[in-house]
Amino acid sequence: MSDTALLIIDMQGALLGDAHEAEACLREIADLAGRARSAGVPVFYLRQRLHDVPADLADVHPAVAPLPGDVVLDKDSADSFLQTGLGDSLDRRAVRRVVVTGFASEYCVDSTCRSALSRGYDLVLVSDGHTTTERPPGSAPTAAQVIAHHNTTLSAIQYAGRSTAVVPTAQVRFDGAPAV
């Protein structure tokens, strides 16, 4: 049994319409989800509750849609652990390491990464597996800069007794070997 879980955060159609390189991010996450399932690693989907949005847009994007056996949890805040049951679900499966992907880098992805570390999980952030909203031309920081900033910050962050890694999809391992 694996001690790892894959988290896919807020990859919902309504949120991805103006996301930075959304199609590339969806491809990377789809690859990871397939590899995780093949390795017997549980896949968790976190969905932001969206009000006044058509149901088909509030759902997870079809390119990375949950399959039978995946866990889908709804949330009302940026922190995927807050009042969702995620921590209890991970603990029941003896998960010690989370691989994090999703939308939006500076909000839900960042909050979930930090919360996971605070709750005692080791962290792997997939550097090409998270995205955020494009900014208008000339805005600073750009979406690419926001993503790069979070990759850099979370690769250097230290939590006592926890390991952190920020790696591209191709380097994520689900066979118990180190991520890098």
Side-chain angles (χ1 to χ4, degrees), residues 11 19-31 64 128-131 169:
M11 293 301 286
H20 176 73
E21 297 184 0
E23 294 303 318
C25 187
L26 286 163
R27 280 192 305 275
E28 298 303 333
I29 292 172
D31 173 60
V64 295
D128 55 355
H130 64 99
T131 188
T169 299

Side-chain angles (χ1 to χ4, degrees), residues 8-168:
I8 301 173
I9 303 167
D10 297 347
M11 293 301 286
Q12 296 158 260
L15 301 175
L16 296 175
D18 58 353
H20 176 73
E21 297 184 0
E23 294 303 318
C25 187
L26 286 163
R27 280 192 305 275
E28 298 303 333
I29 292 172
D31 173 60
L32 282 169
R35 290 194 289 129
R37 290 181 191 107
S38 293
V41 168
V43 179
F44 287 80
Y45 287 82
L46 291 305
R47 293 186 307 197
Q48 187 69 37
R49 288 187 216 272
L50 302 172
H51 306 286
D52 301 323
V53 173
D56 61 326
L57 291 177
D59 226 351
V60 175
H61 191 284
V64 295
L67 297 180
D70 295 339
V71 178
V72 179
L73 301 170
D74 292 317
K75 63 187 188 65
D76 294 305
S77 69
D79 180 351
S80 294
F81 287 89
L82 186 61
Q83 300 176 341
T84 63
L86 176 59
D88 291 338
S89 293
L90 294 173
D91 292 345
R92 279 194 301 277
R93 290 168 176 80
V95 170
R96 297 184 56 227
R97 178 178 80 141
V98 293
V99 177
V100 177
T101 66
F103 180 89
S105 304
E106 70 276 39
Y107 299 115
C108 300
V109 171
D110 180 78
S111 295
T112 299
C113 287
R114 292 170 191 265
S115 187
L117 289 164
S118 291
R119 293 168 186 265
Y121 299 98
D122 292 331
L123 170 69
V124 176
L125 174 62
V126 182
S127 61
D128 55 355
H130 64 99
T131 188
T132 194
T133 305
E134 282 290 2
R135 276 54 172 176
S139 295
T142 65
Q145 289 169 329
V146 169
I147 293 165
H149 167 80
H150 282 79
N151 285 341
T152 300
T153 300
L154 291 168
S155 70
I157 202 164
Q158 295 183 11
Y159 279 68
R162 316 292 186 274
S163 69
T164 60
V166 177
V167 298

